[in-house]
């Protein structure tokens, strides 16, 4: 990303996998079963990124997804920021998309998803993503949704009513037609509190981090410790590669200042 010209970048990590959501739902994802060799790489990743000069947000009480949401929310308030890219295709981050200003980037698929793209993908507006996930569930995070509700039925109902509380209790009052409406309406009413809980799990918190200036995430250069970190990681060519990027950026900045003075 830096070689492609990205100047502002930050990375959020799950410093520990467990979060406050595990207190809300016992089936929420944990570190149980994760290879210890993989878990041991988390602090190495954070140390390497910090040495590279990248802002890192290691999350403990909250999750990395919350940090991405918080950073995107903070950055979108600055007039000098034209667009915020959230670099993950994860469906829960779709709730953060705002018009064409805050978008999701799927780097593997080389796709940018704006608000219209969220609607095309899920059938609902970004603000309805937590309600949608409350019905269909999220296997990656460990909550199942409501029995019988699938992507089509959830998209149809949430695409029209937007939030759980607005859905009429009786299927006869629904203004959209879905297969098995009576059964779905009954399931929703009998498990409404559970659906609200799942929505709470899916709702990203935006209180951290608070970005007070876009320059907080401007990448400038690696720290002096970066070479030693790369040596430990058996990546001896990486420091030179990163240093070259920093040199190019410095020259670009100098040329830009000269043009402004001219």
């Amino acid at each position: 990303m830096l070689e492609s010209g990205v100047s502002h970048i930050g990375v959020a990590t799950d410093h520990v996998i467990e979060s406050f959501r595990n207190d809300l739902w016992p089936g929420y994802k944990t570190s149980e079963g994760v290879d210890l060799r993989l878990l041991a790489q988390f602090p190495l990743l954070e140390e390497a990124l910090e040495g590279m000069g990248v802002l890192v947000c290691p999350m403990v009480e909250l999750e990395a997804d919350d940090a991405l949401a918080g950073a995107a929310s903070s950055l979108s308030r600055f007039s000098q920021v034209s667009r915020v890219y959230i670099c993950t295709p994860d469906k829960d981050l779709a709730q953060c998309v705002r018009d064409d200003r805050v978008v999701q980037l799927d780097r593997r698929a080389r796709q940018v998803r704006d608000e219209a793209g969220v609607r095309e993908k899920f059938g609902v507006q970004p603000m309805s993503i937590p309600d949608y996930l409350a019905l269909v569930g999220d296997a990656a995070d460990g909550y199942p949704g409501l029995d019988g509700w699938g992507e089509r039925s959830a998209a149809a109902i949430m695409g029209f009513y937007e939030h759980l509380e607005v859905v009429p209790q009786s299927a006869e009052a629904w203004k959209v037609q879905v297969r098995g409406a009576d059964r779905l309406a009954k399931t929703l009413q009998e498990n409404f509190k559970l659906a609200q809980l799942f929505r709470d799990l899916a709702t990203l918190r935006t209180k951290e981090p608070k970005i007070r200036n876009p320059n907080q995430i401007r990448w400038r250069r690696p720290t002096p410790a970066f070479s030693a970190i790369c040596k430990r990681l058996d990546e001896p060519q990486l420091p030179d590669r990163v240093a070259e990027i920093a040199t190019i950026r410095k020259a670009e900045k100098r040329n830009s200042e000269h043009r402004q003075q001219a």
Side-chain angles (χ1 to χ4, degrees):
M1 294 178 71
L2 292 173
E3 286 174 328
S4 71
V6 170
S7 60
H8 294 70
I9 185 171
V11 176
T13 64
D14 288 318
H15 190 68
V16 294
I17 294 181
E18 288 76 12
S19 71
F20 77 96
R21 290 180 175 87
N22 293 95
D23 297 328
L24 299 176
W25 178 249
Y28 201 76
K29 65 180 179 182
T30 69
S31 58
E32 183 178 356
V34 179
D35 193 316
L36 294 178
R37 292 170 296 180
L38 179 60
L39 289 175
Q41 293 181 42
F42 287 15
L44 290 175
L45 169 67
E46 294 168 356
E47 183 183 359
L49 286 168
E50 289 173 349
M52 192 176 177
V54 174
L55 175 70
V56 179
C57 301
M59 307 308 289
V60 177
E61 179 187 356
L62 301 178
E63 298 180 54
D65 285 357
D66 296 306
L68 293 176
S73 177
S74 292
L75 289 165
S76 66
R77 297 189 179 101
F78 296 107
S79 60
Q80 63 267 45
V81 175
S82 58
R83 178 183 272 188
V84 178
Y85 290 89
I86 302 175
C87 301
T88 171
D90 289 359
K91 48 194 173 186
D92 55 346
L93 266 302
Q95 67 190 268
C96 302
V97 173
R98 295 292 180 270
D99 301 315
D100 194 40
R101 182 166 175 75
V102 180
V103 299
Q104 277 186 285
L105 171 63
D106 185 341
R107 297 185 65 234
R108 181 175 297 178
R110 297 184 178 182
Q111 292 180 342
V112 174
R113 187 176 298 151
D114 57 9
E115 197 161 312
V118 171
R119 179 81 189 198
E120 180 180 356
K121 174 70 175 178
F122 300 104
V124 301
Q125 296 289 355
M127 65 178 179
S128 299
I129 287 291
D131 300 79
Y132 169 87
L133 292 176
L135 297 177
V136 303
D138 191 336
D141 284 338
Y143 58 94
L146 300 189
D147 186 45
W149 282 89
E151 294 179 354
R152 290 186 178 181
S153 53
I157 296 302
M158 288 300 106
F160 185 86
Y161 291 107
E162 296 185 341
H163 297 297
L164 296 172
E165 290 79 5
V166 186
V167 181
Q169 294 187 17
S170 172
E172 294 180 356
W174 287 2
K175 297 185 181 299
V176 289
Q177 294 184 345
V178 295
R179 195 175 205 177
D182 289 335
R183 174 175 52 84
L184 294 175
K186 182 179 179 182
T187 298
L188 177 57
Q189 292 311 311
E190 291 179 349
N191 299 274
F192 194 76
K193 289 187 177 181
L194 185 60
Q196 289 179 309
L197 171 59
F198 291 157
R199 180 177 61 183
D200 193 27
L201 295 177
T203 300
L204 298 178
R205 276 53 172 179
T206 59
K207 65 180 183 180
E208 296 180 31
K210 294 298 183 184
I211 307 296
R212 293 176 173 80
N213 189 304
N215 282 329
Q216 281 184 247
I217 64 167
R218 175 184 285 277
W219 183 81
R220 291 178 173 83
R221 66 183 70 85
T223 70
F226 187 57
S227 294
I229 295 172
C230 291
K231 186 176 181 180
R232 285 167 47 202
L233 298 178
D234 196 24
E235 287 287 349
Q237 297 179 348
L238 192 54
D240 290 340
R241 182 180 173 188
V242 175
E244 182 179 357
I245 302 172
T247 300
I248 293 173
R249 293 295 171 78
K250 187 175 181 179
E252 290 174 344
K253 181 180 179 181
R254 184 169 56 248
N255 292 336
S256 175
E257 290 174 349
H258 287 165
R259 287 194 297 268
Q260 290 176 359
Q261 292 174 359

